[in-house]
Amino acid sequence: MKDMRKLAIVIIFVGLASTVIGAISRILCLPIFHLESRVFGGFAVICLLLSINLLLLEKKP
């Protein structure tokens, strides 16, 4: 079960990195890796929801 917790933490950091890249893309009005800032924001939301689900699965007996 500790593996899920570690995986959730890694996914949270990936989501945060995606949020930062999306913010930079939005501020510069420049697509990064040919992707708009909305794509990075959407990916960050998916990562954070996945990490919440993994942490909730860990709590089940």
Side-chain angles (χ1 to χ4, degrees):
M1 288 295 175
K2 286 188 175 186
D3 294 335
M4 280 195 204
R5 187 175 187 90
K6 289 179 183 178
L7 181 62
I9 291 171
V10 169
I11 292 173
I12 288 171
F13 283 126
V14 170
L16 289 174
S18 177
T19 302
V20 169
I21 292 171
I24 292 169
S25 172
R26 184 71 160 174
I27 290 170
L28 296 177
C29 295
L30 177 69
I32 298 176
F33 303 120
H34 302 288
L35 297 172
E36 297 288 330
S37 61
R38 290 184 202 173
V39 175
F40 290 108
F43 180 70
V45 168
I46 291 171
C47 285
L48 294 175
L49 286 173
L50 178 62
S51 66
I52 290 169
N53 286 329
L54 287 174
L55 290 173
L56 287 175
L57 280 174
E58 183 183 42
K59 298 286 182 184
K60 285 191 174 181

